[in-house]
């Protein structure tokens, strides 16, 4: 059994390359594989990024970040695993395939990042290339661990490459402090090593992405401990210091660079032809030119309902322009209570959620309620789709996310109000009440995150860190213990006896 688990982490990381972007696997066999050239190192870094694009992993952005919340639901004939997440059938979670895949692929990503760190440390490569690739590896290890911890709580800690059978039996970390020591240290290492590129590199991280991840992680710890989330409330970290650190790193992003910033127009943010737009700090690198799913994306199919199998046309905001899209599978369905919770004047509702479809001449073809079965998210639309192939990409870190992190962490300062009010004004709304106290202001920022980052895989984690999962209607009758973290997948426990309770 240990041998099988070893293959999952090591050989699996070499074979399961449905989106390997032509990388060559390095670093899993012997010291003779230490990188000889920068090209070797970059290939290994791209191999580490590749796990993010696996279908089984990339779709968990939505399956875990949105599906269990009140914002989206799924279709009646969806897989049992997806329906279990949607309906909070906790007794089935230990054998849920989405959770199993997320856990497995996250650790494959960790191991690939560890391989880069080890082999670069022992290589003769020096200078900017070495720093960049090391920084990306530290970022990726932190990214994968942050997401593991947010979902599962205590997980095994692997800070070196898993190369022997004994290393596959690592027990759970003793506490969250140990795991966040690694996550936050890796973020700081990435910040020190990575540059800020003049033009963002789609699908890759730079210094700003590392600063943003640090801000997200510090805020998560601060708010989770403040709100009494189990395990977090026992952490040996000061809440005020964590908020201050989140504000510091977010402010570095907001004020110390000129590459990223706010877009004036909401639709520009989600223009598939502008992956290097100012908002996009870190996003997945998918393109319709890819040969296999994972290299290209079908995310749009998941949000769009099936209408009649024909091309649909969507109105572009307040203009007379209409853009085409395929129709879809209706896997991620906006709930009507969530749709109705938006202010009626909010452009994030009127421009980014579709309730009317048209033909190529702009003639109304259907609407909700009626032909359109539910109002659907249009953040993932590619008007240049080729069959099912699109360049739609999950937005993993956006500038507006970081601005709201700063505001929540810093509290009701003039700078915080300015950032939140810009986001609201861009959405066609008025300013926040200028006289909110700290608690009221943070509550208002959380509400703003709900609308601004809707359908981007963040909402569930905001509910987790605010200890509000039990406000989700489907969790009625469940305990805090049942909903705070997902259980370690039973398949992993079967393979690693050290994970047994």
């Amino acid at each position: 059994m240990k041998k099988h688990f070893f293959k999952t982490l090591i050989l699996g990381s070499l074979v399961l390359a449905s989106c390997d972007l032509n990388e060559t696997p390095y670093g899993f066999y012997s010291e003779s594989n230490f990188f000889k050239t920068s090209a070797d190192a970059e290939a290994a870094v791209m191999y580490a990024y590749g796990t993010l694009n696996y279908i089984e992993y990339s779709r968990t952005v939505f399956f875990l970040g949105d599906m269990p919340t009140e914002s989206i639901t799924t279709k009646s004939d969806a897989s049992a695993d997806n329906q279990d997440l949607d309906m909070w059938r906790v007794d089935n979670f230990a054998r849920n395939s989405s959770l199993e895949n997320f856990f497995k692929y996250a650790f494959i990503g960790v191991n690939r990042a560890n391989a880069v760190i080890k082999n670069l440390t022992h290589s003769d490569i020096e200078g900017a290339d070495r720093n960049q690739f090391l920084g990306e590896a530290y970022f990726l290890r932190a990214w994968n661990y942050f997401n593991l911890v947010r979902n599962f709580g205590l997980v095994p800690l692997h800070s070196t490459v898993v190369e022997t059978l004994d290393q596959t039996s690592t027990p759970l970390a003793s506490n969250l402090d140990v795991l966040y020591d690694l996550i936050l240290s890796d973020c700081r290492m990435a910040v020190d090593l990575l540059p800020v590129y003049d033009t963002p590199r789609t699908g890759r991280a730079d210094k700003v992405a590392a600063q943003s991840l640090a801000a997200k992680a510090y805020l998560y710890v601060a708010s989770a401990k403040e709100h009494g989330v189990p395990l977090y409330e026992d952490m040996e970290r000061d809440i005020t210091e964590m908020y201050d650190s989140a504000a510091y790193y977010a402010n570095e992003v907001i004020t110390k660079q000129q590459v990223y910033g706010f877009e004036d127009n909401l639709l520009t943010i989600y223009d598939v032809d502008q992956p290097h737009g100012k908002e996009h700090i870190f996003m997945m690198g998918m393109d319709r030119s890819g040969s296999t799913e994972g290299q290209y994306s079908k995310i749009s199919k998941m949000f769009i309902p099936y209408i009649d199998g024909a091309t649909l046309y969507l109105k572009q905001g307040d203009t007379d322009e209409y853009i085409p899209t395929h129709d879809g599978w209706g896997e991620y369905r906006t709930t009507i209570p969530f749709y109705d919770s938006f202010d009626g004047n909010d452009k994030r509702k009127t421009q980014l959620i579709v309730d009317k479809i048209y033909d190529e001449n702009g003639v109304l073809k259907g609407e909700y309620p009626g032909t359109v079965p539910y109002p659907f998210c249009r953040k993932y639309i590619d008007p240049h789709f080729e069959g099912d192939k699109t360049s739609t990409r999950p937005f993993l870190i956006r500038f507006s996310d970081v601005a709201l992190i700063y505001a929540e962490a810093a509290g009701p300062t003039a700078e915080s109000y300015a950032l939140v009010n810009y986001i609201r004004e861009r959405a066609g709304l008025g300013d926040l009440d200028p006289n909110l106290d700290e608690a009221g202001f943070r509550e208002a920022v959380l509400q703003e995150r709900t609308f601004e980052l809707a359908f981007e895989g963040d909402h569930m984690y905001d509910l987790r860190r605010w200890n509000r999962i039990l406000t989700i209607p489907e969790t009625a009758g469940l305990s805090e213990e049942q909903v705070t973290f997902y259980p370690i997948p039973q398949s992993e426990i079967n393979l690693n006896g050290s994970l047994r309770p």
Side-chain angles (χ1 to χ4, degrees), residues 1-2 5 156 158 167-172 491-500:
M1 295 175 74
K2 288 182 179 180
F5 184 57
H158 292 283
Q167 291 171 308
T168 67
S169 298
T170 302
L172 300 178
S491 59
E492 298 296 331
I493 295 174
N494 293 342
L495 295 166
N496 179 1
S498 298
L499 301 181
R500 293 191 179 96

Side-chain angles (χ1 to χ4, degrees), residues 35 41 44-45 48 111-121 133-134 137:
F35 307 137
V45 169
N111 205 54
R112 292 183 184 183
N114 280 334
V116 174
I117 293 168
K118 174 184 176 180
N119 290 326
L120 263 178
T121 300
F133 302 144
L134 262 180

Side-chain angles (χ1 to χ4, degrees), residues 210-225:
Q211 292 167 330
S212 302
L213 180 56
K216 288 177 77 72
Y218 276 114
L219 178 69
Y220 204 96
V221 172
S223 60
K225 182 167 184 177

Side-chain angles (χ1 to χ4, degrees), residues 337-351:
F338 183 64
Y339 178 69
D340 290 341
S341 70
F342 284 78
D343 185 291
N345 296 316
D346 193 331
K347 293 180 182 178
R348 294 169 299 196
K349 176 181 184 180
T350 61
Q351 294 188 4

Side-chain angles (χ1 to χ4, degrees), residues 386-402:
E386 298 174 3
D388 288 347
K389 298 169 64 173
T390 78
S391 296
T392 53
R393 310 166 179 93
F395 308 100
L396 301 178
I397 304 177
R398 278 205 293 120
F399 185 85
S400 291
D401 178 10
V402 180

